[in-house]
Each structure stands twice: as structure tokens, then as C-alpha cells.
Amino acid sequence: MMELLVRRGQKVDAGAFSNTRWFTLYVKAQLTDEEADNLNKYDMGSTLLYSNPEAAADKSVRVDGYKYPVISVQGLAEGLHVKCARIVDMMDFETKILSSSEVFKQMLDVAASFGGEEVYTFD
């Protein structure tokens, strides 16, 4: 059962003339051994769960050195460091991460179901 670790923090970059406060977010999907095996077996790591190239000019959100916010399966599995200029940006990106994690969990569930079957009942 995948779990998502979310750690919020803040840091101050001291400059010569001013200090810049950043709000930080660390997120990591904690996988079971079976989930980690399926991630590798089905080569899901490079799957993009969220990408926003239009945000490249906006310097308010940075994710692990990318020019624009990107969330990949591998990124969630290894852990992402997010740096935001405003609390509201951090909250917004955390929402995107949670949505992306839901999709990732669905991928893991489907990968675990190969070789089996499911029955759906409709009224």
C-alpha cells in the first residue's frame, strides 16, 4: 500500500541587500516491495504525471532543478524537493502532487492486477 510522505518547511536565502523566504515541500512515495518491483518491471519511472511548460517564466515554483514544475513517477518514488516563493504556491503545488499520486497509485494497482480478473457490477 503506497504511502505519501509530505514534509513542509521554510528557508531564508540571505543576500547582500535582502533576505528571500522560500516555502519548501518534500514529498516521497513510500512503496511496498511489490509496488517497487512493478514500477521497475513495467518501466513506469519516466511517466509524467504533471508537467507545466508554460510555468517556465514563473520563478515562484521550482522542482528539483527543472525549469518548470514536473512530477514524474520516478520523482515521486525517489522524493521531490519543491521550493515556492509564496505559501499559496506551495499549497497549489501540493494539491497537484496529491492528484498525481492518486494516478500513480492507480497505475500501481493496475500493474498488480495483471494475470487476474475483476468483476464490476452495474445497476
Side-chain angles (χ1 to χ4, degrees):
M1 168 180 290
M2 182 183 102
E3 295 180 333
L4 187 68
L5 169 69
V6 177
R7 187 180 307 132
R8 294 176 203 88
Q10 57 183 305
K11 70 181 239 179
V12 176
D13 289 340
F17 300 106
S18 68
N19 294 329
T20 304
R21 180 174 307 277
W22 291 97
F23 300 95
T24 61
L25 196 60
Y26 174 75
V27 293
K28 182 175 182 182
Q30 298 177 316
L31 307 177
T32 65
D33 290 341
E34 179 185 1
E35 289 168 334
D37 288 344
N38 282 336
L39 185 148
N40 293 322
K41 179 179 180 180
Y42 297 111
D43 197 24
M44 292 187 268
S46 63
T47 303
L48 283 182
L49 299 170
Y50 173 82
S51 174
N52 187 356
E54 291 81 33
D58 180 7
K59 296 184 172 133
S60 63
V61 178
R62 291 287 178 246
V63 181
D64 283 337
Y66 286 99
K67 290 182 180 178
Y68 55 88
V70 172
I71 303 172
S72 70
V73 166
Q74 194 66 37
L76 279 177
E78 292 176 356
L80 294 172
H81 293 89
V82 182
K83 188 165 92 168
C84 302
R86 300 177 304 240
I87 289 175
V88 70
D89 295 327
M90 184 185 74
M91 292 169 51
D92 181 54
F93 203 71
E94 185 174 342
T95 299
K96 289 174 176 61
I97 289 169
L98 292 173
S99 295
S100 298
S101 297
E102 287 286 332
V103 173
F104 181 25
K105 176 61 177 144
Q106 290 171 352
M107 290 172 62
L108 291 170
D109 290 346
V110 168
S113 71
F114 290 123
E117 64 182 45
E118 293 183 37
V119 175
Y120 297 91
T121 305
F122 299 94
D123 291 330

